[in-house]
Amino acid sequence: MTQTAAAFTAPKKQNYWTRLRRNFQKHRSLYLIALPVVAYLVIFKYLPMFGIVIAFQDYRPGKGVLHSDFVGLKHFIEFLTNPSASRTIINTLRLNFFSLIIEFPAPIILALLLNEVRFGPYKKTIQTLSYMPHFISLVVVCGILKDFTMSTGVISDIAVLFGVERQSMLGNVDMYLPLYIGSSLWQGIGWGSILYLATLSGADPNLYEAAVIDGAGRWKQMLYVTLPTIVPIMILQLIMRIGSMMSVGSEKTILLYSPLVYEKADLISSFVYRRGLQEMNFSFGSAVGLFNSIVNLVLLITANWFAKRTTGESMW
């Protein structure tokens, strides 16, 4: 009886380090492949987080992090009470909201349309043409946009034909946002569709056959078979996009905006760039950057919670 009980005794649970060592021995090649990525994250993402402390200091490079004066929440209060704070927060949310409702569904629509194309050469040509703008440097794209929208540019010439007054379009506060979003859509729509096309390539063909047998046409197949196939990846992308709403657009804004359009173009990130780097107020810039990151974290957690409650899909 004792021997029988011993035979069915659960194996002794190993500690974490023993299991990690054995797992490393078993999958050594996978760990080695992941090592550069882990090193990148540690060096460039986690170690710099120790610099957050200067957001609570009156940091002076000559004194260093350890000897700069501690000022608590001074820089956070200074930002939130600054007349530019509400403007930059509203502009950041406005830009990312319109980018979300216009740029986010565009690659999905393109992927659904390309998935319905049956003529191979035509499909590949469209894919290639839509991918190409992604590989153009953002600096080059912004330079082209500036040249084309200046008062003597190509786009301005076309606009004049439709009765629009000749002007520098990027200097017009009402035209800045459409030009910004339109150029981003042109540059990113093709590249953004790759993920959805890759997901659709793994769709079960039996589902389409069953839909045809049930009498579903092309529209019904796309609606009830194709679209549900990419819903999980759509939700994941949407959560990630919402979680970075306060940070998206910094580089392009700095390259395109001017004091003429600060009213609607100045974002939190561009405001930090001017105050933190150009004016060398590093503590203030760090404080605003930390505030930005906290808001992004709240948005990410909220979007993930809402997606999980409504669709059952989430990042964690």
Side-chain angles (χ1 to χ4, degrees), residues 20-273:
L20 180 62
R21 178 173 55 82
R22 291 188 176 181
N23 193 269
F24 178 78
Q25 292 174 347
K26 185 178 180 180
H27 305 289
R28 185 175 302 174
S29 58
L30 296 179
Y31 279 98
L32 291 176
I33 291 173
L35 189 60
V37 178
V38 174
Y40 168 79
L41 291 174
V42 171
I43 295 173
F44 295 103
K45 300 297 182 179
Y46 287 96
L47 289 180
M49 289 178 68
F50 291 103
I52 290 175
V53 69
I54 71 173
F56 305 93
Q57 296 178 330
D58 188 9
Y59 175 72
R60 294 291 181 268
K63 293 183 178 181
V65 175
L66 298 178
H67 299 95
S68 294
D69 298 331
F70 181 79
V71 295
L73 300 177
K74 171 188 172 183
H75 300 296
F76 294 92
I77 297 172
E78 181 184 351
F79 169 67
L80 294 175
T81 56
N82 191 299
S84 300
S86 58
R87 181 190 69 189
T88 56
I89 293 173
I90 292 172
N91 287 345
T92 302
L93 293 174
R94 180 195 294 118
L95 173 65
N96 283 283
F97 173 76
F98 284 109
S99 296
L100 186 66
I101 63 175
I102 295 174
E103 294 180 41
F104 179 75
I108 300 172
I109 296 172
L110 178 61
L112 291 174
L113 292 175
L114 287 174
N115 188 63
E116 296 299 317
V117 176
R118 297 293 180 260
F119 185 57
Y122 178 75
K123 181 178 181 179
K124 292 179 180 178
T125 301
I126 297 299
Q127 284 179 292
T128 301
L129 292 175
S130 64
Y131 296 165
M132 286 177 64
H134 172 78
F135 298 99
I136 303 176
S137 168
L138 181 61
V139 177
V140 175
V141 171
C142 292
I144 293 173
L145 185 61
K146 282 186 173 181
D147 289 340
F148 281 13
T149 58
M150 60 191 305
S151 58
T152 56
V154 175
I155 297 179
S156 296
D157 291 339
I158 296 174
V160 168
L161 296 176
F162 291 92
V164 179
E165 182 182 355
R166 185 176 293 277
Q167 59 183 310
S168 176
M169 294 183 173
L170 284 176
N172 186 330
V173 70
D174 295 322
M175 301 187 71
Y176 176 85
L177 190 60
L179 289 171
Y180 183 103
I181 295 177
S183 59
S184 297
L185 183 64
W186 170 76
Q187 188 176 18
I189 185 172
W191 185 257
S193 67
I194 292 177
L195 187 60
Y196 301 107
L197 286 170
T199 304
L200 290 173
S201 66
D204 188 355
N206 294 324
L207 295 176
Y208 289 98
E209 293 177 5
V212 172
I213 293 173
D214 290 339
R218 296 289 289 273
W219 170 253
K220 294 279 188 174
Q221 292 177 40
M222 183 176 69
L223 194 61
Y224 294 108
V225 179
T226 306
L227 193 58
T229 301
I230 60 175
V231 164
I233 196 67
M234 284 170 52
I235 294 173
L236 179 63
Q237 291 292 99
L238 181 60
I239 293 172
M240 295 175 64
R241 184 68 179 266
I242 293 175
S244 61
M245 282 187 69
M246 300 295 285
S247 302
V248 173
S250 56
E251 298 88 353
K252 191 172 183 179
T253 297
I254 293 171
L255 290 169
L256 288 179
Y257 80 154
S258 67
L260 294 174
V261 292
Y262 276 178
E263 179 185 344
K264 289 187 178 180
D266 196 18
L267 307 181
I268 293 177
S269 52
S270 57
F271 180 68
V272 170
Y273 170 75

